[in-house]
Amino acid sequence: MSLHEISQKINDDVNEIFKTDSDFNQNITLQELIADLKKKKAKNPIGTAVAVFAGADKNKNGKLTYQEIRNWVISKNAQAIDEALCNEVNAILCEMDKDKDGTVTAGEMLDYYVKKGLNINDSFEMTKSYFDQVDKDGDGVLTVCEFKKFIGADLQAPSQ
């Protein structure tokens, strides 16, 4: 599954769960989730709802927000996200990493864009923009970790 497909699945799952908000107050209660699971004829709706709340209700207020649900769904898809990120980063490295050291320098990226047909000025601007956004430690080298954080930024649940 590609990162885009996983992202779409996560959004669909979160939106499906959030439809449970029967009183439209932007929160889901345990009772709303149980009622929705019963309506959908889920096996063990009470146990399932309690398990969801145990994993998702981080502030333990008895209500799930959109962000809590999203973070929980992301955590349930962590392995697939990591695999897709690795695949995408490896594809980038395969294209740009000329010396095969597992990193991309500004020179390698600039060369990549020029070889793809961009003029030198546009290639320079694209490279500069990318490094400004991705090279968090400012060392002039993009690492696998930096690529993964940048590419998968919208699929990272905050650390608890």
Side-chain angles (χ1 to χ4, degrees):
M1 218 180 215
S2 74
L3 202 55
H4 175 75
E5 291 168 328
I6 293 168
S7 180
Q8 187 60 53
K9 178 187 179 306
I10 287 169
N11 288 335
D12 291 348
D13 289 351
V14 170
N15 289 332
E16 184 63 30
I17 293 169
F18 217 74
K19 288 179 186 176
T20 302
D21 182 18
S22 60
D23 57 6
F24 306 105
N25 67 351
Q26 302 298 307
N27 291 293
I28 297 173
T29 64
L30 182 62
Q31 293 73 24
E32 286 174 317
L33 186 54
I34 291 169
D36 188 65
L37 290 170
K38 283 181 178 179
K39 188 169 84 175
K40 292 177 179 172
K41 301 192 185 318
K43 291 182 180 177
N44 191 10
I46 295 171
T48 300
V50 167
V52 169
F53 265 77
D57 188 16
K58 293 301 181 185
N59 63 5
K60 305 297 182 206
N61 68 351
K63 299 175 186 174
L64 297 179
T65 64
Y66 183 88
Q67 195 59 50
E68 285 176 318
I69 293 166
R70 181 169 172 73
N71 291 345
W72 180 76
V73 172
I74 288 171
S75 73
K76 293 298 178 190
N77 288 278
Q79 183 176 350
I81 291 167
D82 191 55
E83 288 172 8
L85 278 171
C86 286
N87 290 340
E88 293 201 21
V89 168
N90 287 336
I92 290 169
L93 289 175
C94 186
E95 290 278 326
M96 291 186 184
D97 183 17
K98 291 174 77 173
D99 62 6
K100 305 299 180 204
D101 66 351
T103 65
V104 174
T105 64
E108 288 172 321
M109 186 175 283
L110 183 64
D111 186 55
Y112 168 81
Y113 286 132
V114 169
K115 285 185 178 173
K116 288 292 186 185
L118 286 176
N119 70 48
I120 191 71
N121 290 333
D122 289 344
S123 296
F124 178 78
E125 289 302 317
M126 292 269 298
T127 299
K128 182 179 179 337
S129 175
Y130 209 88
F131 269 77
D132 287 347
Q133 294 176 59
V134 181
D135 187 20
K136 295 301 182 189
D137 61 8
D139 66 353
V141 176
L142 301 181
T143 64
V144 170
C145 185
E146 287 171 324
F147 274 118
K148 285 174 74 173
K149 284 181 181 175
F150 179 74
I151 294 168
D154 67 327
L155 295 175
Q156 302 300 315
S159 299
Q160 300 301 328

